[in-house]
Amino acid sequence: MARQEKLYQAVIDGNRENVKKLVKQSLDQNIGIEPLLYDSMIPAMREMGERFSRSEIFVPQMLISARAMQAGLTILGPILAQSEREAPLKVAIGTVKDDLHDIGKNLVAIMLKGAGYEVIDLGTNCSIEKYDEAVEQGVNIIMCSALLTTTRDYIKKVVEHYNDNNAIKVIVGGAPIDQKFADSVGADGYGKDANEAVKIVEQITATQ
Ligand code: B1M
């Protein structure tokens, strides 16, 4: 599926209303959600990151694009989250401590809901104490998202914290994370993107 140029540009421009309008139009034209996300909206965010790295834009522009992306997700989210499952299994997801990026985390949460899981969203800047609160509510899959190389090391602390508890599985993901990193910290699973995150949760819950 080709990139939807207008949608891509609207995310880059941070034009919330246009993003919402174009997402609705694309859905009306039966363009699938995944191509919209993976061929247009996410690449636009990536482009903003690259421009930021080259100092062509600054934090406010990244933030404005992020808000436009979130506006699009408010339309796509409820559609993606429709599920038939009757007795949902619970998972908890949060972006790790000191990290405020939440778009990828939100996307993973939406896709998990769509796959029939009950998702406790712990938000951003998520400390071990917050994950523990979810464990107290009966969650045994903890999902850690990190977007910064400076915050991904917190994942190691979370994994170590649950090392002695075989019932708790920790799944990790986010732009600076790869399988090698996940293995090096001893995580129970790694998802490259939201789809893979759902697959790994399904594999783990199938064996529980
Ligand atoms: Co930030 N930022 N940012 N930022 N930002 C990055 C991450 C960066 C790569 C940009 C760059 O320099 N090229 C860079 C990090 C560099 C590094 O660490 N090596 C960076 C920086 C430096 C910073 C600040 C430090 C900037 C500053 O203040 N000087 C600052 C840090 C703030 C903080 O967190 N303490 C900062 C701030 C911000 C904004 C607030 C302005 C905004 C975030 C708004 C928000 O999230 N509500 C922002 C944005 C928007 C970005 C970029 C441009 C886009 C991120 C995004 O939403 N992508 C980003 C550049 C980039 O990523 N290329 C960048 C779309 C999203 C769908 O993708 O989150 O990767 P992503 O999620 C993917 C996968 O990673 C995966 O699934 C998703 C796709 O399906 N995934 C998981 C994610 N979590 C998962 C969990 C899983 C499994 C899969 O299982 C648990």
Side-chain angles (χ1 to χ4, degrees):
M1 169 58 77
R3 178 198 285 171
Q4 303 291 304
E5 285 302 334
K6 284 185 184 165
L7 180 57
Y8 174 83
Q9 195 57 46
V11 174
I12 298 252
D13 295 340
N15 187 330
R16 268 194 267 189
E17 290 313 312
N18 227 0
V19 168
K20 287 199 272 186
K21 190 182 89 186
L22 290 164
V23 166
K24 280 182 195 150
Q25 262 176 21
S26 302
L27 292 174
D28 288 345
Q29 289 163 12
N30 288 326
I31 294 173
I33 292 179
E34 294 205 0
L36 289 184
L37 277 171
Y38 289 103
D39 297 334
S40 303
M41 297 166 78
I42 294 176
M45 295 306 297
R46 202 174 301 129
E47 171 61 18
M48 290 306 277
E50 280 160 21
R51 290 185 191 182
F52 178 77
S53 294
R54 297 194 298 263
S55 301
E56 291 169 12
I57 60 161
F58 300 96
V59 170
Q61 284 106 317
M62 273 205 293
L63 191 54
I64 291 166
S65 285
R67 286 182 181 157
M69 170 94 183
Q70 300 271 29
L73 286 183
T74 59
I75 298 169
L76 297 178
I79 305 170
L80 280 167
Q82 281 166 6
S83 158
E84 301 291 317
R85 194 181 292 209
E86 276 180 19
L89 295 156
K90 270 195 212 170
V91 301
I93 186 165
T95 305
V96 294
K97 194 165 177 294
D98 295 329
D99 197 325
L100 302 176
H101 296 83
D102 66 356
I103 297 175
K105 183 263 298 166
N106 293 345
L107 205 48
V108 175
I110 288 169
M111 302 288 267
L112 283 166
K113 285 180 195 163
Y117 291 90
E118 181 182 337
V119 181
I120 300 181
D121 190 340
L122 302 169
T124 56
N125 189 24
C126 193
S127 62
I128 287 173
E129 289 73 23
K130 269 202 202 170
Y131 290 117
D132 271 346
E133 283 169 23
V135 169
E136 279 161 24
Q137 291 177 49
V139 165
N140 56 8
I141 296 186
I142 293 292
M143 306 195 66
C144 300
S145 177
L147 261 287
L148 299 170
T149 43
T150 49
T151 58
R152 69 176 176 177
D153 289 339
Y154 194 76
I155 285 178
K156 187 164 188 259
K157 293 189 179 164
V158 179
V159 173
E160 280 170 1
H161 178 71
Y162 293 114
N163 252 352
D164 296 335
N165 188 343
N166 277 340
I168 308 293
K169 304 293 175 203
V170 182
I171 298 174
V172 304
I177 315 288
D178 56 17
Q179 188 67 57
K180 199 172 156 209
F181 178 86
D183 292 343
S184 75
V185 299
D188 297 292
Y190 159 71
K192 181 170 71 63
D193 56 29
N195 282 330
E196 283 201 6
V198 172
K199 279 189 203 149
I200 199 88
V201 171
E202 282 175 338
Q203 279 167 22
I204 288 176
T205 49
T207 59
Q208 278 179 339

